[in-house]
Amino acid sequence: MASLQEPWLLENGNLKGSSKEIRHGKTAHNMSSSSMRKKSDLTLVSKVRCGMLRNLLTNLQEVILGTKLTVLFPAIPLAIAADCYGFGRPWVFALSLLGLTPLAERVSFLTEQIAYYTGPTVGGLLNATCGNATELIIAIFALWQHKIQVVKYSLLGSILSNLLLVLGTSLFCGGIANLGKEQKYDRRQADVNALLLLLALLCHMLPLLFRMSAASVTLTEVPTLQLSRVSSIIMLLAYVTYIIFQLVTHRQLFEAQEESVEDGDDVLSEETPVIGFWSGIVWLVGMTAVIALLSEYVVGTIEDASESWGLSVSFISIILLPIVGNAAEHAGAVIFAFKNKLDISLGVALGSATQIAMFVVPLCVIVAWILGIEMDLNFNLLETGALTLSIITTAFTLQDGTSHYLKGLALLLCYVVIGACFFLNKTPLNHGNVIDLGVKSAAGSVIAA
């Protein structure tokens, strides 16, 4: 590969450098999604004489047909037709969810293409912002419709699926495929991400503990909201500092991880853009608009799907949404684990979880504040407990810098147990905290006495 001037690598919010070469926008998120791409055959397109038509066909070939998930694109017009013609709303939900799968992978592809032209810094920030665009857009639409619990459930599900499902599957499959080898990874990335995840966990637990410690819920409702907003601002500042730490001040700490992807892998061999800068911008805006439309469908029909399928909204939001929405990225992480490239797999799982916890969640609290909606960081007792145990389990699993299939299996079993818990949990969408209800009952008994 050609050697370029400024070394860098951004992993789904983890900006990383190397002293050897620059990969324009090649993040772990990008590299994971790139495993779902296929090389386009432009032989017929190149024979078109009209330059404008040839460019259009080339763009269509690269953007629409340049992925192994092309087969899912028909779900997008089908979802729109199902909504327009009044088909069953569960069908609208299912088709919209399927349509989001290739769009999430294409957004990763387009940000990578744009990064070729913008340079490493802008490209890195673009990837840090768009790495979990689907989750952010779904959350914003749910906020707009005042479905705060759906926002919390979906973001919690994204964190849990990355820490337990994606990482667990990667470690398990990588361990099985490399039984004769000792799988190693750079602990420094895991340590930094674990530290930030624990900071996010503290910011989630304090509002819950604050409310539980009060004699009356009404006395802590406003202070809890204020505490959540202050914590969100702190988390956003910490995330910005994290990006500066990875991009500017401590890039040298991550040089070893760059070496792990310098073995001529076909997925990483592309070093030239396949579409133009403005074409990439137009396609990215268009893809984002379609994601917004399908996200609106998902949020608007999730309760109907819950009633029709007999599944709770919490189970659909925490388990189904993250699995289907990020299937391409997750599959890519597993593929790289098979190839004994655990640094990339960890970059996908831990980087995405950190970005959700430290950027998307607090950003949603701030956006809700701007919209006049009262959203706090109290995710309720059951949800916060699941998050706590998941982060602690993941941190212990990654503490020694080596991996084997049993570690992956343990994480997967944790995810199965948590999934079973939310499958059996039939709490209504707007139901209050069990702790809150207990406090209210206790307070009522005291007053009656």
Side-chain angles (χ1 to χ4, degrees), residues 14 102 105 289 322 403 421:
N14 299 348
E105 188 273 329
S403 175
C421 175

Side-chain angles (χ1 to χ4, degrees), residues 28-45:
H29 176 87
N30 292 138
M31 289 185 281
S32 174
S33 296
S34 68
S35 62
M36 293 291 104
R37 298 170 196 167
K38 58 183 181 181
K39 194 171 182 179
S40 300
D41 185 2
L42 301 175
T43 304
L44 293 177
V45 175

Side-chain angles (χ1 to χ4, degrees), residues 148-157 375-379:
I148 298 176
Q149 288 301 113
V150 173
V151 177
K152 293 180 178 180
Y153 286 150
S154 63
L155 297 180
L156 172 67
M375 175 181 172
D376 57 26
L377 292 175
N378 177 10
F379 277 37

Side-chain angles (χ1 to χ4, degrees), residues 125-449:
L125 294 175
L126 184 63
N127 277 300
T129 305
C130 298
N132 289 287
T134 303
E135 290 90 339
L136 180 58
I137 294 173
I138 290 176
I140 289 176
F141 271 99
L143 273 179
W144 188 262
Q145 298 182 24
H146 293 262
K147 296 182 179 180
I148 298 176
Q149 288 301 113
V150 173
V151 177
K152 293 180 178 180
Y153 286 150
S154 63
L155 297 180
L156 172 67
S158 294
I159 298 173
L160 295 180
S161 68
N162 277 290
L163 293 181
L164 300 179
L165 177 62
V166 181
L167 185 58
T169 305
S170 298
L171 297 182
F172 178 75
C173 294
I176 294 295
N178 299 275
L179 282 175
K181 302 177 183 177
E182 184 181 19
Q183 288 196 294
K184 294 183 179 181
Y185 52 85
D186 194 335
R187 271 188 54 193
R188 292 172 294 186
Q189 177 194 9
D191 290 343
V192 171
N193 282 280
L195 180 62
L196 290 174
L197 287 170
L198 288 171
L199 172 60
L201 178 60
L202 175 66
C203 294
H204 283 287
M205 289 190 67
L206 288 179
L208 174 64
L209 297 175
F210 192 67
R211 179 165 291 191
M212 289 173 58
S213 64
S216 173
V217 175
T218 56
L219 295 177
T220 59
E221 185 173 355
V222 174
T224 299
L225 183 61
Q226 293 172 340
L227 175 62
S228 298
R229 289 169 176 173
V230 171
S231 299
S232 297
I233 294 173
I234 293 173
M235 291 164 71
L236 289 174
L237 291 175
Y239 185 74
V240 171
T241 306
Y242 170 54
I243 291 179
I244 297 173
F245 176 87
Q246 297 277 15
L247 179 63
V248 181
T249 62
H250 287 73
R251 291 190 305 180
Q252 69 280 4
L253 295 180
F254 302 90
E255 290 180 1
Q257 295 186 20
E258 177 72 7
E259 295 172 1
S260 68
V261 295
E262 291 180 349
D263 59 357
D265 195 296
D266 292 338
V267 175
L268 304 177
S269 60
E270 285 189 14
E271 288 298 331
T272 57
V274 295
I275 63 175
F277 173 74
W278 290 110
S279 296
I281 293 292
V282 172
W283 276 107
L284 183 60
V285 172
M287 290 284 183
T288 304
V290 177
I291 289 176
L293 178 63
L294 295 184
S295 298
E296 185 177 8
Y297 289 164
V298 166
V299 173
T301 58
I302 188 171
E303 293 173 77
D304 297 289
S306 172
E307 294 177 5
S308 176
W309 298 344
L311 301 173
S312 65
V313 173
S314 61
F315 180 80
I316 293 176
S317 302
I318 294 175
I319 305 299
L320 294 186
L321 276 180
I323 291 178
V324 178
N326 288 315
E329 178 187 341
H330 296 174
V334 176
I335 289 172
F336 278 107
F338 269 111
K339 297 178 180 180
N340 202 17
K341 301 178 186 296
L342 283 186
D343 284 325
I344 298 177
S345 299
L346 263 66
V348 173
L350 296 179
S352 184
T354 301
Q355 188 179 58
I356 293 290
M358 295 295 295
F359 176 68
V360 180
V361 172
L363 183 62
C364 287
V365 174
I366 300 301
V367 170
W369 188 8
I370 295 172
L371 295 176
I373 300 171
E374 296 183 353
M375 175 181 172
D376 57 26
L377 292 175
N378 177 10
F379 277 37
N380 297 340
L381 183 60
L382 177 62
E383 290 80 358
T384 305
L387 178 63
T388 302
L389 295 175
S390 299
I391 292 176
I392 293 175
T393 302
T394 302
F396 272 106
T397 301
L398 301 176
Q399 64 181 342
D400 63 350
T402 62
S403 175
H404 46 74
Y405 69 89
L406 187 57
K407 287 185 175 182
L409 180 61
L411 293 179
L412 282 174
L413 293 178
C414 289
Y415 190 74
V416 171
V417 172
I418 291 175
C421 175
F422 287 107
F423 178 80
L424 297 173
N425 180 28
K426 303 295 183 180
T427 304
L429 185 60
N430 295 317
H431 198 271
N433 244 336
V434 174
I435 292 295
D436 294 344
L437 294 177
V439 171
K440 288 180 180 178
S441 299
S445 300
V446 172
I447 293 174

